[in-house]
Amino acid sequence: MKHDDNLHTLEHSALSDEKIVRLINWLEHEKELLQKETKTHLLVHVLSIKSKTVGNRVFYYGDFRVSKDSLSYLKRKYDPFIIRENKSFKINYQIGACVKCESATDFTLIFEERTDFDFTKLYKLESVPPIKIVNRQIRILQELLIVKEMQLKSILFGTYKPRTHTESVYNIDKKLNSSQKQAVLKALQTQDFQIILGPPGTGKTTIISELCKKFTARGERVLLTSWMNVAIDHALQAVLKDNIIDKNKVCRVGAGDYKIAESILPLTLPGNSLLRQDLDQKMIVGSTLASAYKTVAGSVDKFDVVIVDEAGAATVPQTLLALVIAKKFILIGDHCQLPPIVSDENCERWIRESLFEKLWKIYPEKHSMLNKQYRMNPEIAEIVSKTIYYNLGGIITPESVKKRPVPFIDTRSLRKPEEKKIVDMSIPVCWVDNSGKTQWINTGNGRSAKNDREVENVSRILELLVNEVKVDPKTIGVLSPFRYQVSTMINALNTFIEKGVAVNTIHSFQGNERDIIIVSMVAKHPTDSRIFEDIRLLNVAITRTKFKLIVVADTTIAAKGDKTSKIMGIINSVARASGGYLIKNALNPPLNTEIREDTRKDRTIANTEKFLERERKKLRLNKRY
């Protein structure tokens, strides 16, 4: 990178008083959008209710499904109702937290109080926006404007000169690979902060566990936090796995105990009755970013170190909720995956940029990177290594992953070679070439799209996998970059969803994985939608799979010279080289008349809207408006 480029990166990523003011204004706007969510509701079915007793407390787990009458709210053009993990909802006058939402229609809520649901009734589901947490973020930013001398502020503003690492020697777990050991060592030696990049499947949770053990061994108190409940719980489970750390020195704090994994509940300090003496005795405290303020008594009461997991998916204000209560911090994440989720997708790019990404650009001397992945088939991992992480040195697949057994599927019941390619797990990448028209609609934030022929191909692929060769539906995920396509697939693939197949947008599936991932690309050219301008979308889509990636797309999407086209071209080449390419109409799925009729209706509505807009323009030109 040239010197001028370095200056540009610093200028773009570093904060300033002016940018903090703009962040505050953006958060005020976010509050308005969040409050709008309360004006819409869904009707849902209750599928099951289970209880779990931990100590003297009982927690209730409810599985729900969106009713057919409410599906239109999931797929509507403007302000669709979004169910997402970590969001809170009100149902039957009770507040529950969504802890599982791998499919757009099926989700799990957890409640602290007894739930009396009638399985024959439909219930209203309403969003509960986190307004109080946003207000806390605003107050932290306002305080940053007031203080003049503060280490954290100088780090954020890009004016900080990092302190040198100590030369201490540590006995690091021999099971860790070389990049993991190096990352742990630098984090232990830092006197201010460290940034650890962990691509998919590289063992971020493993090094978090090792860091917690080493920090506490030298008497330092650790706040372990993330924007995701599940990330914290996985990390705490790893910390306690080998019994090196006394579980009485570990606790979990949350906005509600119902959001916490069952195995971690015994460690939970009730969120509404925290005692100072209880927390002071704990060496490791797990908490979401939103609840971090509950873990300290005041501004002078700080943790020795805070570890923020999944930091690449948290906004700057969200991350600051934890950083202001620690003496030093470790950010662990991956800015090469999708950026933080915000209500206003049209906000400036620098606002959506995580603090992890900003500091990664400003302080290269604070970098560590995990470069060995243990999740994906080597050929799939090589795709993202060459296209996403190549400037960072790429990622490596160890021999143990290359030699692991591939799930066996008996293909003798299938006659056609094309069908055998789809289910053959020894072919890691398949490309199903797709014909069919892309239907576009205008939405509040831009455009969305669907392709009925792709939906029909996906349906046929699932028939082969689930019905013909009996692959476990729960090991399959179906993704698309477009919510309009996902809503269409929800209608068309309902029988497979009920069996456990996950159908969702790529954005909502980040953090999950499946043995088999099917991606419906919809568009014929990356230039058709600005959604393809960010190649991190493809990174997430590709890296969700362990054994097999099936892309359903027109090959024209790989024909141009932009970054997305190049990545799609490499996927297409890998599929052809491994014998996984299927020509157009190779599967010859039957037409789905129901979704095609819906498309016709949508097109009629769109044409009517265009006609009305043309008439309005004529009236304005003739000054009759």
Side-chain angles (χ1 to χ4, degrees):
M1 184 180 284
K2 296 178 181 178
H3 180 65
D4 290 345
D5 291 336
N6 274 321
L7 287 176
H8 175 73
T9 297
L10 179 64
E11 235 173 68
H12 176 76
S13 296
L15 294 182
S16 62
D17 285 341
E18 179 197 352
K19 283 188 174 181
I20 288 180
V21 171
R22 286 158 68 185
L23 273 175
I24 293 171
N25 293 335
W26 166 71
L27 285 172
E28 293 288 359
H29 180 57
E30 284 282 292
K31 278 169 53 179
E32 295 176 6
L33 296 177
L34 288 170
Q35 287 166 334
K36 282 183 179 180
E37 292 182 9
T38 60
K39 298 178 181 179
T40 305
H41 68 268
L42 299 178
L43 294 177
V44 299
H45 297 282
V46 184
L47 302 181
S48 68
I49 297 290
K50 299 176 183 177
S51 64
K52 175 73 175 180
T53 302
V54 180
N56 60 352
R57 289 173 294 180
V58 182
F59 301 89
Y60 300 88
Y61 296 74
D63 293 324
F64 300 88
R65 175 171 294 150
V66 178
S67 72
K68 290 184 178 179
D69 293 337
S70 290
L71 288 178
S72 59
Y73 289 99
L74 295 178
K75 64 181 182 180
R76 65 183 184 176
K77 302 176 186 179
Y78 298 97
D79 301 321
F81 193 102
I82 298 175
I83 304 169
R84 186 181 291 124
E85 291 178 18
N86 296 302
K87 287 184 68 173
S88 294
F89 296 92
K90 183 168 72 174
I91 182 171
N92 199 27
Y93 305 103
Q94 290 182 270
I95 304 296
C98 181
V99 293
K100 186 178 180 182
C101 184
E102 295 172 345
S103 188
T105 57
D106 291 27
F107 57 98
T108 301
L109 301 182
I110 300 186
F111 307 89
E112 284 185 304
E113 298 177 0
R114 182 180 178 83
T115 55
D116 295 316
F117 289 108
D118 185 338
F119 286 76
T120 64
K121 291 184 178 179
L122 289 174
Y123 288 93
K124 183 165 69 173
L125 183 79
E126 300 173 280
S127 179
V128 181
I131 302 299
K132 290 183 180 179
I133 303 303
V134 178
N135 286 334
R136 186 171 296 278
Q137 294 172 34
I138 291 172
R139 287 198 296 272
I140 289 173
L141 291 172
Q142 289 171 336
E143 289 171 6
L144 279 175
L145 286 174
I146 297 171
V147 296
K148 298 298 181 184
E149 298 296 331
M150 181 184 183
Q151 178 175 292
L152 179 58
K153 184 173 182 177
S154 64
I155 292 172
L156 299 175
F157 280 39
T159 59
Y160 180 73
K161 184 178 180 180
R163 298 165 65 183
T164 57
H165 288 77
T166 64
E167 295 300 323
S168 303
V169 178
Y170 298 93
N171 183 24
I172 298 172
D173 190 344
K174 294 179 181 179
K175 295 179 182 178
L176 271 60
N177 64 49
S178 58
S179 67
Q180 290 173 332
K181 289 178 181 177
Q182 185 66 18
V184 169
L185 182 61
K186 283 189 174 182
L188 291 172
Q189 291 177 338
T190 189
Q191 300 185 69
D192 36 37
F193 68 98
Q194 189 67 26
I195 315 160
I196 302 174
L197 173 62
T202 52
K204 293 189 291 291
T205 303
T206 300
I207 66 163
I208 289 173
S209 172
E210 183 70 7
L211 285 172
C212 287
K213 294 170 188 174
K214 292 296 184 288
F215 279 129
T216 55
R218 65 188 195 191
E220 294 181 83
R221 293 183 69 234
V222 179
L223 173 61
L224 177 55
T225 185
S226 173
W227 68 279
M228 297 174 65
N229 279 288
V230 67
I232 304 162
D233 294 341
H234 284 167
L236 288 177
Q237 288 164 349
V239 167
L240 298 170
K241 187 177 180 180
D242 51 15
N243 298 315
I244 291 177
I245 294 180
D246 182 358
K247 67 179 180 180
N248 294 315
K249 296 294 183 181
V250 181
C251 76
R252 175 73 156 87
V253 175
D257 298 332
Y258 49 79
K259 297 182 180 182
I260 297 168
E262 293 180 37
S263 61
I264 299 299
L265 283 173
L267 306 175
T268 305
L269 297 181
N272 56 359
S273 59
L274 288 176
L275 298 176
R276 183 81 266 129
Q277 60 266 32
D278 288 337
L279 279 172
D280 288 343
Q281 294 172 3
K282 307 300 181 182
M283 294 301 294
I284 301 174
V285 179
S287 166
T288 59
L289 291 167
S291 296
Y293 73 96
K294 297 182 179 181
T295 63
V296 294
S299 59
V300 295
D301 182 17
K302 291 190 174 184
F303 284 88
D304 294 299
V305 59
V306 58
I307 300 173
V308 183
D309 191 15
E310 300 292 349
T315 65
V316 170
Q318 285 173 337
T319 309
L320 290 177
L321 289 168
L323 268 51
V324 295
I325 56 175
K327 299 173 185 176
K328 60 185 175 183
F329 60 89
I330 314 294
L331 300 185
I332 303 176
D334 183 4
H335 61 286
C336 296
Q337 295 190 59
L338 286 168
I341 296 171
V342 297
S343 297
D344 181 10
E345 295 180 0
N346 291 318
C347 67
E348 296 177 80
R349 190 187 184 283
W350 71 268
I351 290 177
R352 293 194 69 185
E353 189 177 70
S354 66
L355 184 58
F356 180 99
E357 183 174 0
K358 290 182 185 298
L359 299 187
W360 183 272
K361 292 176 179 177
I362 299 171
Y363 301 103
E365 65 271 43
K366 286 295 185 177
H367 291 180
S368 295
M369 178 178 169
L370 310 180
N371 64 4
K372 289 188 178 181
Q373 72 84 24
Y374 299 87
R375 175 191 296 168
M376 295 165 279
N377 175 286
E379 292 185 57
I380 297 172
E382 187 66 12
I383 294 171
V384 293
S385 180
K386 288 182 176 179
T387 58
I388 307 293
Y389 298 100
Y390 65 99
N391 281 336
L392 299 166
I395 54 177
I396 303 165
T397 301
E399 287 299 317
S400 59
V401 178
K402 293 178 181 178
K403 294 178 180 179
R404 70 182 177 186
V406 176
F408 172 75
I409 295 177
D410 190 348
T411 63
R412 288 177 294 180
S413 62
L414 303 177
R415 296 180 180 179
K416 297 180 179 179
E418 293 82 4
E419 295 176 347
K420 290 186 177 184
K421 290 179 182 179
I422 291 294
V423 303
D424 189 346
M425 297 295 278
S426 67
I427 301 177
V429 181
C430 281
W431 184 297
V432 180
D433 203 348
N434 184 78
S435 57
K437 186 175 181 179
T438 302
Q439 172 73 20
W440 293 90
I441 60 167
N442 292 318
T443 67
N445 288 323
R447 295 202 305 167
S448 193
K450 65 181 287 191
N451 185 309
D452 292 338
R453 195 55 179 163
E454 284 194 15
V455 177
E456 290 158 355
N457 269 305
V458 170
S459 180
R460 179 56 185 152
I461 291 168
L462 290 176
E463 285 177 4
L464 292 170
L465 290 169
V466 178
N467 296 346
E468 297 290 338
V469 298
K470 310 303 179 186
V471 172
D472 183 355
K474 295 178 182 178
T475 65
I476 304 172
V478 180
L479 309 178
S480 177
F482 296 103
R483 185 165 293 279
Y484 191 22
Q485 180 77 340
V486 170
S487 66
T488 304
M489 292 194 293
I490 287 171
N491 288 333
L493 310 176
N494 187 55
T495 56
F496 297 108
I497 293 172
E498 291 178 352
K499 292 177 181 179
V501 172
V503 178
N504 220 326
T505 61
I506 296 170
H507 295 76
S508 298
F509 207 70
Q510 180 163 306
N512 292 294
E513 64 179 53
R514 288 291 185 276
D515 286 356
I516 302 171
I517 289 292
I518 304 166
V519 183
S520 171
M521 293 300 293
V522 182
K524 294 182 181 296
H525 304 284
T527 51
D528 289 342
S529 173
R530 66 179 185 178
I531 200 170
F532 295 116
E533 292 175 2
D534 193 339
I535 60 172
R536 292 178 291 187
L537 181 83
L538 286 182
N539 185 24
V540 173
I542 295 167
T543 57
R544 297 311 92 201
T545 184
K546 293 172 66 177
F547 296 106
K548 192 175 184 76
L549 174 69
I550 303 173
V551 173
V552 182
D554 194 310
T555 51
T556 56
I557 200 169
K560 294 191 175 181
D562 59 280
K563 290 181 179 179
T564 295
S565 291
K566 289 178 180 178
I567 295 173
M568 295 305 296
I570 292 173
I571 295 172
N572 186 278
S573 296
V574 172
R576 290 176 184 272
S578 61
Y581 173 76
L582 280 70
I583 63 172
K584 283 183 171 67
N585 297 316
L587 296 179
N588 194 28
L591 301 183
N592 186 317
T593 55
E594 182 180 347
I595 64 170
R596 287 177 178 268
E597 176 59 21
D598 288 342
T599 300
R600 187 192 65 78
K601 291 178 181 177
D602 288 346
R603 190 180 296 118
T604 300
I605 293 171
N607 289 338
T608 301
E609 290 174 345
K610 288 179 181 178
F611 170 78
L612 292 173
E613 182 59 28
R614 285 196 301 268
E615 292 302 306
R616 291 190 191 102
K617 287 181 179 179
K618 288 180 182 178
L619 290 170
R620 286 194 290 269
L621 288 172
N622 293 326
K623 296 184 179 182
R624 297 174 188 171
Y625 184 69

